[in-house]
Amino acid sequence: MIGMWQGLVRGARVVLPVVLVGAIVQGLLVVGDPTPHVDWVFALRVVVSGLVMIVVVWLIVGGAATAVDADAGLSIPSIRLLIGVTSAVVGGALAGVLSPILPIVVAVAGLPVLSALAVRPWTAPIRMVMVSPFRTLLGFVLVATLFIVIWVTALLLGFFIAGPVAAMLTWVVFGFSTAIAATYWAALHRRSLAQDKPEAGASTRTV
């Protein structure tokens, strides 16, 4: 069974280019220091930024699920996962209108569900909590810490650097933090799946 750190190494071939390309695009979108106002150009930048974020998270979470599976090779993540990521990103954006803290809550709660969609649908989060309650709690703390670091990093970079460079660095931190968290959850889901197999075999022998 592949653990988180080994999974990160295996998934680097997907994560590195995805994160870097995504960060460059996000940086280019803030060239000219656009300010929020009613304008089709600004609206287009916002839409493109959201789409880039969805694709980046989709590929990272899907790549993490593949990286912790010894029998899996490179493949395009499922449409089911894409729909889940799109829902989470839109939900996080709407939550951010109410409070700047709420997107972090959405990310912390949504990432294990997205990893479950990539690894094993629907029942994986429940099974994960039953099999590894301590590791599940640790995962929530880890993800919350990572996204708080992203939030603080964005504030500091915006204060000291600003512009496209700050945007690129912020999205690099976001991408790698997401990769760490997604790989942790994927490995934990895979662990619970592995523990299900002996039980299934025992049940078959009993019958």
Side-chain angles (χ1 to χ4, degrees):
M1 185 169 56
I2 297 175
M4 185 186 80
W5 298 112
Q6 188 179 355
L8 282 171
V9 173
R10 294 188 74 213
R13 56 184 174 173
V14 173
V15 171
L16 285 174
V18 167
V19 170
L20 293 178
V21 171
I24 291 171
V25 174
Q26 296 286 8
L28 293 175
L29 289 173
V30 299
V31 170
D33 194 21
T35 55
H37 60 282
V38 181
D39 178 77
W40 72 269
V41 175
F42 179 79
L44 181 61
R45 293 192 190 208
V46 172
V47 171
V48 172
S49 177
L51 291 175
V52 171
M53 183 178 182
I54 288 171
V55 172
V56 166
V57 174
W58 177 50
L59 293 176
I60 288 176
V61 174
T66 300
V68 299
D69 185 356
D71 299 324
L74 284 176
S75 62
I76 299 175
S78 67
I79 298 300
R80 177 183 61 220
L81 176 60
L82 178 59
I83 294 172
V85 171
T86 303
S87 301
V89 170
V90 172
L94 294 176
V97 175
L98 302 176
S99 170
I101 300 297
L102 288 180
I104 297 178
V105 176
V106 173
V108 171
L111 199 50
V113 177
L114 295 178
S115 293
L117 289 176
V119 175
R120 180 184 174 208
W122 309 122
T123 59
I126 298 174
R127 180 61 186 169
M128 178 185 66
V129 173
M130 294 174 61
V131 172
S132 304
F134 176 74
R135 287 187 173 88
T136 301
L137 177 61
L138 182 63
F140 281 116
V141 173
L142 170 67
V143 176
T145 302
L146 286 173
F147 281 98
I148 289 173
V149 168
I150 294 170
W151 187 54
V152 173
T153 300
L155 291 176
L156 293 176
L157 288 174
F159 183 76
F160 290 107
I161 302 177
V165 175
M168 290 181 189
L169 292 175
T170 299
W171 285 102
V172 166
V173 173
F174 169 81
F176 288 131
S177 298
T178 302
I180 292 171
T183 306
Y184 180 91
W185 287 122
L188 200 55
H189 288 315
R190 187 64 59 186
R191 178 188 180 90
S192 66
L193 177 62
Q195 293 191 17
D196 269 345
K197 290 179 179 177
E199 295 179 7
S203 300
T204 303
R205 287 193 297 271
T206 302
V207 174

